[in-house]
mmCIF file of all heavy atoms in Angstrom:
data_model
loop_
_atom_site.group_PDB
_atom_site.id
_atom_site.type_symbol
_atom_site.label_atom_id
_atom_site.label_comp_id
_atom_site.label_asym_id
_atom_site.label_seq_id
_atom_site.Cartn_x
_atom_site.Cartn_y
_atom_site.Cartn_z
ATOM 1 N N TYR A 111 174.473 147.067 -48.178
ATOM 2 C CA TYR A 111 174.839 145.772 -48.017
ATOM 3 C C TYR A 111 174.447 144.933 -49.184
ATOM 4 O O TYR A 111 175.187 144.077 -49.725
ATOM 5 C CB TYR A 111 174.370 145.162 -46.717
ATOM 6 C CG TYR A 111 174.560 143.719 -46.437
ATOM 7 C CD1 TYR A 111 175.765 143.155 -45.962
ATOM 8 C CD2 TYR A 111 173.521 142.735 -46.703
ATOM 9 C CE1 TYR A 111 175.942 141.841 -45.720
ATOM 10 C CE2 TYR A 111 173.629 141.443 -46.451
ATOM 11 C CZ TYR A 111 174.881 140.969 -45.979
ATOM 12 O OH TYR A 111 175.013 139.669 -45.779
ATOM 13 N N ALA A 112 173.183 145.073 -49.620
ATOM 14 C CA ALA A 112 172.571 144.291 -50.665
ATOM 15 C C ALA A 112 173.271 144.666 -52.028
ATOM 16 O O ALA A 112 173.537 143.768 -52.766
ATOM 17 C CB ALA A 112 171.057 144.605 -50.781
ATOM 18 N N ILE A 113 173.557 145.907 -52.270
ATOM 19 C CA ILE A 113 174.189 146.281 -53.501
ATOM 20 C C ILE A 113 175.493 145.748 -53.603
ATOM 21 O O ILE A 113 175.894 145.186 -54.630
ATOM 22 C CB ILE A 113 174.217 147.846 -53.607
ATOM 23 C CG1 ILE A 113 172.792 148.461 -53.730
ATOM 24 C CG2 ILE A 113 175.080 148.350 -54.828
ATOM 25 C CD1 ILE A 113 172.775 149.894 -53.640
ATOM 26 N N ILE A 114 176.324 145.846 -52.570
ATOM 27 C CA ILE A 114 177.718 145.320 -52.623
ATOM 28 C C ILE A 114 177.706 143.788 -52.684
ATOM 29 O O ILE A 114 178.452 143.173 -53.412
ATOM 30 C CB ILE A 114 178.466 145.789 -51.449
ATOM 31 C CG1 ILE A 114 178.597 147.403 -51.412
ATOM 32 C CG2 ILE A 114 179.889 145.189 -51.467
ATOM 33 C CD1 ILE A 114 179.088 147.947 -50.119
ATOM 34 N N GLY A 115 176.847 143.098 -51.912
ATOM 35 C CA GLY A 115 176.730 141.677 -51.819
ATOM 36 C C GLY A 115 176.302 141.203 -53.263
ATOM 37 O O GLY A 115 176.861 140.200 -53.809
ATOM 38 N N ASN A 116 175.302 141.810 -53.793
ATOM 39 C CA ASN A 116 174.818 141.372 -55.187
ATOM 40 C C ASN A 116 175.841 141.503 -56.215
ATOM 41 O O ASN A 116 175.999 140.705 -57.169
ATOM 42 C CB ASN A 116 173.533 142.160 -55.545
ATOM 43 C CG ASN A 116 172.277 141.634 -54.787
ATOM 44 O OD1 ASN A 116 172.272 140.530 -54.360
ATOM 45 N ND2 ASN A 116 171.289 142.540 -54.685
ATOM 46 N N ALA A 117 176.722 142.566 -56.099
ATOM 47 C CA ALA A 117 177.880 142.689 -57.041
ATOM 48 C C ALA A 117 178.747 141.460 -56.851
ATOM 49 O O ALA A 117 179.379 141.041 -57.767
ATOM 50 C CB ALA A 117 178.576 143.987 -56.736
ATOM 51 N N GLY A 118 178.890 141.035 -55.650
ATOM 52 C CA GLY A 118 179.785 139.861 -55.379
ATOM 53 C C GLY A 118 179.175 138.615 -56.061
ATOM 54 O O GLY A 118 180.006 137.811 -56.725
ATOM 55 N N TYR A 119 177.909 138.326 -56.038
ATOM 56 C CA TYR A 119 177.223 137.257 -56.622
ATOM 57 C C TYR A 119 177.408 137.347 -58.192
ATOM 58 O O TYR A 119 177.582 136.301 -58.877
ATOM 59 C CB TYR A 119 175.814 137.119 -56.214
ATOM 60 C CG TYR A 119 175.659 136.557 -54.864
ATOM 61 C CD1 TYR A 119 175.151 137.356 -53.808
ATOM 62 C CD2 TYR A 119 176.028 135.237 -54.537
ATOM 63 C CE1 TYR A 119 174.998 136.848 -52.554
ATOM 64 C CE2 TYR A 119 175.933 134.758 -53.267
ATOM 65 C CZ TYR A 119 175.423 135.594 -52.243
ATOM 66 O OH TYR A 119 175.270 135.048 -50.981
ATOM 67 N N GLU A 120 177.219 138.512 -58.701
ATOM 68 C CA GLU A 120 177.346 138.785 -60.170
ATOM 69 C C GLU A 120 178.811 138.369 -60.611
ATOM 70 O O GLU A 120 178.995 137.703 -61.582
ATOM 71 C CB GLU A 120 177.010 140.153 -60.559
ATOM 72 C CG GLU A 120 177.076 140.427 -62.080
ATOM 73 C CD GLU A 120 176.710 141.805 -62.543
ATOM 74 O OE1 GLU A 120 176.142 142.513 -61.564
ATOM 75 O OE2 GLU A 120 176.788 142.112 -63.726
ATOM 76 N N ALA A 121 179.820 138.797 -59.817
ATOM 77 C CA ALA A 121 181.173 138.534 -60.146
ATOM 78 C C ALA A 121 181.387 137.009 -60.065
ATOM 79 O O ALA A 121 182.183 136.466 -60.849
ATOM 80 C CB ALA A 121 182.120 139.346 -59.264
ATOM 81 N N LEU A 122 180.812 136.437 -59.078
ATOM 82 C CA LEU A 122 180.975 134.973 -58.894
ATOM 83 C C LEU A 122 180.451 134.280 -60.088
ATOM 84 O O LEU A 122 181.061 133.351 -60.632
ATOM 85 C CB LEU A 122 180.215 134.552 -57.577
ATOM 86 C CG LEU A 122 180.387 133.091 -57.212
ATOM 87 C CD1 LEU A 122 181.738 132.910 -56.544
ATOM 88 C CD2 LEU A 122 179.299 132.703 -56.255
ATOM 89 N N ASN A 123 179.261 134.601 -60.559
ATOM 90 C CA ASN A 123 178.652 133.918 -61.735
ATOM 91 C C ASN A 123 179.495 134.097 -62.941
ATOM 92 O O ASN A 123 179.481 133.249 -63.877
ATOM 93 C CB ASN A 123 177.226 134.497 -61.995
ATOM 94 C CG ASN A 123 176.299 134.076 -60.900
ATOM 95 O OD1 ASN A 123 176.458 133.038 -60.220
ATOM 96 N ND2 ASN A 123 175.207 134.810 -60.677
ATOM 97 N N ASN A 124 180.214 135.245 -63.049
ATOM 98 C CA ASN A 124 181.078 135.484 -64.160
ATOM 99 C C ASN A 124 182.522 134.946 -63.960
ATOM 100 O O ASN A 124 183.397 135.209 -64.789
ATOM 101 C CB ASN A 124 181.158 137.011 -64.543
ATOM 102 C CG ASN A 124 179.812 137.480 -65.009
ATOM 103 O OD1 ASN A 124 179.161 136.862 -65.761
ATOM 104 N ND2 ASN A 124 179.440 138.730 -64.672
#
Side-chain angles (χ1 to χ4, degrees):
Y111 171 82
I113 290 168
I114 299 170
N116 285 336
Y119 285 113
E120 183 177 352
L122 186 78
N123 290 335
N124 291 323

